[in-house]
């Protein structure tokens, strides 16, 4: 069904930037986790198993039991302001807005949405259109493209557009896994941590995993992760023996991208490695997968296997160098658009002329 789009003759034409992150439940409770997990695990981009097979598993085994266990994990990392992912995304949005205001004469409107949960992509895009955004740059906050993350977010955007009558112009950012500013911010984040806490015997560069089948079908995610890991290691002047690129968050029995982070840490623990540090470049905001899965679960795996000292290096979050890198990425993709801004004076004149020619509004 096509939705009515707000249009008024002589409205100022604005440019908007829409940041999209994965999403988060409203609260660390089983009640809040159930609809969140249902929406997430019902997405065919996320779970590519045929519906006839997957639906009984999802509704018969996962949704009745997993929400409680997931809620307990979220409760361990929940912040006073709410979910860490949402808190950091909100802060990044504000900081990016401020950075662009200082750089640009006609700064864009900057908003964020969650692909799953609130604020929804549909709600935020409607808000941006009501603010006069005739052009919207969409930036998924996933540095490495994957069909299950970036493409799922783009599906959501284009689904919303499919229901609009008066479409804005759209540009999208596919990935920035090798952007110099992003790599530099990652490297400096590690250096800052090592300056304060010393260096490890090994740096584990852990990315969220995807099924091996996605790589076989042509998903470029694995290659992007490997490149990010290599560029980060080069920026830190690490030898190949001093770091490993691994993949976490395996789900189900199918083979996923390897090596697995948990298995790697277990082996390093058995070798009685003195210290490992783990960084997760695939996440620009700390979240469940970093604060609970890595900082708590992975630490236990390493130390209980015989390892001595475990450090988790936080995500980029609100680092100024990361915000400036994000602003660089944004400005690159906004080229030409900001010169198209319509001033208030020009908008008023346009409206006056339109009404004189018989326009209804």
């Amino acid at each position: 069904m096509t939705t009515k789009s707000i249009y008024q003759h002589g409205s100022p034409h604005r440019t908007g930037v829409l940041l999209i992150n994965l999403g988060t439940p409203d609260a660390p409770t089983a009640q809040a986790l159930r609809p969140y997990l249902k929406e997430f695990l019902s997405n065919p981009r996320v779970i590519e198993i045929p519906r006839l097979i997957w639906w009984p598993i999802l509704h018969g085994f996962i949704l009745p039991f997993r929400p409680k266990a997931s809620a307990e994990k979220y409760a361990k990392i929940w912040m006073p302001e709410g979910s860490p992912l949402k808190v950091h995304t909100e802060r990044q949005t504000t900081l990016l807005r401020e950075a662009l205001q200082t750089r640009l004469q006609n700064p864009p409107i900057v908003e964020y949405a969650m692909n799953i949960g609130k604020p929804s992509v549909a709600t935020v895009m409607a808000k941006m259109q009501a603010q006069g955004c005739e052009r919207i740059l969409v930036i998924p906050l996933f540095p490495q493209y994957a069909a299950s993350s970036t493409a799922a977010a783009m599906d959501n955007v284009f689904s919303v557009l499919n229901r609009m009558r008066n479409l804005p112009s759209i540009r999208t950012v596919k990935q920035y896994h090798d952007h110099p500013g992003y790599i530099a911010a990652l490297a400096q984040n590690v250096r800052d941590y090592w300056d304060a806490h010393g260096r490890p015997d090994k740096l584990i560069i852990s990315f969220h995993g995807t099924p091996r089948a996605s790589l076989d079908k042509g998903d470029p995610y694995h290659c992007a992760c490997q490149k990010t890991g290599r560029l980060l290691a080069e920026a830190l002047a690490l030898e190949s023996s001093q770091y490993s690129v691994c993949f976490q968050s395996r789900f189900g029995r199918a083979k996923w991208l390897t090596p697995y982070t948990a298995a790697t840490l277990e082996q390093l623990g058995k070798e009685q490695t003195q210290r490992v540090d783990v960084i997760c470049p695939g996440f620009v905001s700390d979240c469940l997968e970093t604060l609970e899965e890595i900082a708590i679960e992975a630490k236990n795996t390493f130390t209980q296997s015989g390892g001595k000292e475990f450090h988790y290096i936080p995500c980029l979050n609100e680092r100024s160098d990361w915000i400036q890198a994000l602003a660089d990425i944004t400005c690159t993709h906004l080229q030409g658009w900001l010169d198209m801004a319509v001033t208030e004076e020009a908008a008023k004149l346009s409206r006056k002329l339109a009404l004189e020619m018989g326009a209804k509004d």
Side-chain angles (χ1 to χ4, degrees):
M1 179 179 178
T2 302
T3 59
K4 182 179 179 181
S5 300
I6 299 171
Y7 179 76
Q8 187 179 60
H9 288 283
S11 299
H13 291 180
R14 301 292 304 277
T15 296
V17 175
L18 176 60
L19 305 177
I20 302 181
N21 217 327
L22 174 63
T24 181
D26 293 333
T29 64
Q31 184 178 7
L33 260 296
R34 193 176 194 283
Y36 173 78
L37 289 174
K38 181 180 179 181
E39 183 178 358
F40 178 54
L41 297 175
S42 296
N43 191 319
R45 289 280 197 183
V46 176
I47 304 294
E48 298 188 59
I49 300 172
R51 303 293 93 175
L52 188 63
I53 298 173
W54 176 241
W55 237 236
I57 298 173
L58 176 62
H59 293 275
F61 297 95
I62 295 176
L63 292 180
F65 304 107
R66 190 169 181 181
K68 182 176 183 297
S70 294
E72 292 173 353
K73 293 182 178 183
Y74 270 102
K76 295 177 183 178
I77 55 99
W78 208 257
M79 300 170 68
E81 306 97 312
S83 164
L85 178 68
K86 186 173 183 179
V87 170
H88 289 303
T89 303
E90 287 177 344
R91 292 174 181 172
Q92 289 169 350
T93 301
T94 299
L95 291 170
L96 176 61
R97 185 183 298 124
E98 293 172 352
L100 295 177
Q101 286 172 349
T102 61
R103 287 193 187 194
L104 304 172
Q105 184 176 0
N106 298 308
I109 291 171
V110 182
E111 302 286 353
Y112 84 93
M114 296 297 184
N115 196 40
I116 301 167
K118 303 173 184 175
S120 70
V121 171
T123 299
V124 176
M125 288 187 68
K127 175 183 176 182
M128 296 178 78
Q129 191 172 50
Q131 292 173 301
C133 290
E134 286 287 312
R135 301 167 294 276
I136 298 177
L137 171 64
V138 182
I139 308 179
L141 291 172
F142 314 118
Q144 298 78 24
Y145 172 91
S148 57
S149 56
T150 308
M154 295 303 184
D155 286 346
N156 201 343
V157 169
F158 287 107
S159 176
V160 172
L161 292 173
N162 191 45
R163 300 191 296 272
M164 283 185 178
R165 181 171 297 280
N166 182 24
L167 299 182
S169 296
I170 294 290
R171 289 180 182 173
T172 61
V173 176
K174 179 177 180 178
Q175 60 183 357
Y176 42 92
H177 65 292
D178 56 357
H179 187 276
Y182 161 69
I183 298 297
L186 287 174
Q188 192 57 48
N189 186 30
V190 175
R191 292 191 201 99
D192 290 346
Y193 189 89
W194 287 352
D195 286 344
H197 304 280
R199 296 171 65 96
D201 296 289
K202 191 141 191 170
L203 177 67
I204 301 298
I205 304 174
S206 181
F207 295 89
H208 196 288
T210 61
R212 168 71 199 202
S214 65
L215 173 61
D216 297 335
K217 293 175 181 177
D219 197 308
Y221 178 71
H222 179 264
C223 296
C225 293
Q226 293 289 347
K227 187 172 185 181
T228 298
R230 174 176 59 80
L231 292 175
L232 175 57
E234 289 175 357
L236 294 171
L238 296 179
E239 300 291 337
S240 58
S241 62
Q242 295 177 297
Y243 77 96
S244 292
V245 173
C246 304
F247 297 89
Q248 64 185 83
S249 308
R250 182 185 178 190
F251 176 76
R253 297 181 179 180
K255 184 174 182 179
W256 281 41
L257 297 179
T258 56
Y260 299 133
T261 299
T264 299
L265 289 170
E266 182 178 2
Q267 181 59 39
L268 289 171
K270 291 178 179 179
E271 295 170 2
Q272 296 189 330
T273 304
Q274 185 64 33
R275 172 177 161 178
V276 297
D277 286 8
V278 181
I279 187 171
C280 301
F283 302 93
V284 297
S285 299
D286 273 312
C287 54
L288 184 73
E289 286 79 4
T290 64
L291 298 174
E292 198 281 333
E293 184 181 353
I294 296 299
I296 298 176
E297 290 187 12
K299 178 180 180 179
N300 289 338
T301 297
F302 176 69
T303 56
Q304 290 175 8
S305 299
K308 304 303 180 183
E309 192 176 344
F310 180 100
H311 290 245
Y312 165 65
I313 300 175
C315 289
L316 294 172
N317 294 325
E318 293 83 50
R319 287 184 58 95
S320 61
D321 48 8
W322 157 236
I323 298 301
Q324 292 306 315
L326 184 57
D328 289 342
I329 294 166
T330 302
C331 289
T332 296
H333 288 83
L334 285 178
Q335 289 185 43
W337 268 8
L338 296 177
D339 297 334
M340 299 168 65
V342 177
T343 65
E344 292 285 349
E345 292 75 14
K348 288 179 181 178
L349 177 60
S350 176
R351 176 171 174 76
K352 178 178 179 295
L353 294 174
L355 293 175
E356 289 176 354
M357 294 178 67
K360 293 183 179 180
D361 193 4

